Amino acid sequence: MQLGVFGASGQVGSVVRQILIERNFPTRSVRFFATANSAGKTLNFGDTHITIEDTATADFTGLDIALFSAGATMSKQYAPQVVAAGATVVDNSSGWRLNDDVPLVVPEVNPDDIHNAPLGIIANPNCQTMAIMPVLKPLHDAAGLVRLRAVTFQAVSGSGVKGVSTLIEQVKVLGNTPGLQFDGRIDDHPDLGPYVAPIAFNAVPIAGALVDDGMGETDEEIKMRNESRKILHLPDLLVQATCVRVPVYTGHSVAVYAEFEDKISADQATVLLKKAPGVEVTDVPTARLAAGKDPSFVGRIRPDQSAPEGHGLAMFVANDNLRKGAALNAIQIVELVSKK
């Protein structure tokens, strides 16, 4: 097969290239695509160097599978063109996730959904939704998930390169100011980057953009609800999330409170999760533990005292938002498509 990687020079694209080599993905050839700003530059891929092509002017003929990590605008414009040229598209952006004709897939959860892709496009979920899906799936199969509440603690890399650079600069400035008593006021540091308040030494309870729908939610919180329903095939699942941006470079963490139709104990859940694909049970799951690793780490598994007795679980999940949260899951989907 011939594989195309769109957004190859970006933050997620670099992880895609790394994981393709790690997993020895079987390709006849690989082509890299990006914007005109990156076109003509070369990127390492194993022992070779591949020249980046300009997506706007490239000929997509010959591609069998295309992996998009180039943002929703680029995906909406170019994914149909790549499909028309004969390829199947796996898209990392939010552009196609809620389209009824585009499956939203986590391979450990709903792999068979790839067979129902009439547009030739398969979508990758949002990274904070992705982290908890392999954890919730076996528990739902055992007891029937009816309600999900979550608080996320999302790394700045989820905001792209600008999020990372903003944290670096704020830490540098504030950390090098002797005797500074930083009280978190917005005007204490004028360069907020993509955030509504300083991110250094702080926790900002607005991750994503506020949506003007009268509900007071961010797009990240809405994604958690809609994507969980679609992936788990539970259109009426009750979901409430609060998404928080924290001064962590890599790794999203989620406090999960799940309520079930049938009774399920913490011990039963632990046994199920120890056997679940893509999941690792640990005493203290943290973003630092998850960084650079593939599984969703889960721990602090205990009864949820706010749910009807025996019907609720509280737990904490941590996952690398750039690996499984984006690049790895997309590559796993590409592997499923290639086998198909």
Side-chain angles (χ1 to χ4, degrees), residues 4-5 8 17 30-34 43-45 50-53:
V5 178
R17 290 184 280 118
V30 177
R31 295 169 63 187
F32 292 158
F33 302 86
L43 294 173
N44 293 337
F45 188 69
I50 298 176
T51 300
I52 300 173
E53 302 177 51

Side-chain angles (χ1 to χ4, degrees), residues 210-218 222:
L210 287 168
V211 177
D212 186 18
D213 61 357
M215 302 301 292
E217 293 185 306
T218 70
I222 293 171

Side-chain angles (χ1 to χ4, degrees), residues 119-277:
L119 297 185
I121 301 170
I122 302 168
N124 211 36
N126 194 33
C127 42
Q128 37 94 0
T129 305
M130 181 95 62
I132 62 175
M133 287 297 102
V135 173
L136 290 175
K137 171 62 173 173
L139 304 179
H140 166 61
D141 288 345
L145 183 66
V146 296
R147 185 184 184 201
L148 169 64
R149 291 173 296 135
V151 179
T152 71
F153 306 88
Q154 297 177 218
V156 295
S157 55
S159 303
V161 174
K162 182 60 176 175
V164 174
S165 63
T166 297
L167 177 57
I168 291 172
E169 289 304 312
Q170 289 186 7
V171 168
K172 186 186 304 181
V173 170
L174 299 174
N176 290 335
T177 306
L180 176 66
Q181 296 298 312
F182 181 62
D183 63 8
R185 290 178 299 170
I186 290 178
D187 57 1
D188 279 342
H189 196 287
D191 183 9
L192 297 178
Y195 307 117
V196 299
I199 188 63
F201 314 111
N202 206 5
V204 181
I206 298 179
L210 287 168
V211 177
D212 186 18
D213 61 357
M215 302 301 292
E217 293 185 306
T218 70
D219 55 355
E220 292 283 292
E221 292 155 357
I222 293 171
K223 289 172 188 176
M224 175 76 82
R225 177 181 302 113
N226 293 334
E227 294 178 17
S228 296
R229 289 172 171 173
K230 186 171 182 177
I231 295 166
L232 294 171
H233 298 168
L234 293 172
D236 298 321
L237 180 65
L238 300 173
V239 182
Q240 181 63 53
T242 297
C243 293
V244 182
R245 193 71 66 182
V246 293
V248 170
Y249 289 110
T250 302
H252 287 354
S253 302
V254 188
V256 176
Y257 305 91
E259 186 176 330
F260 300 90
E261 182 177 0
D262 300 327
K263 287 189 174 184
I264 183 169
S265 69
D267 288 342
Q268 290 172 316
T270 300
V271 170
L272 290 170
L273 292 172
K274 284 183 175 179
K275 298 184 292 185

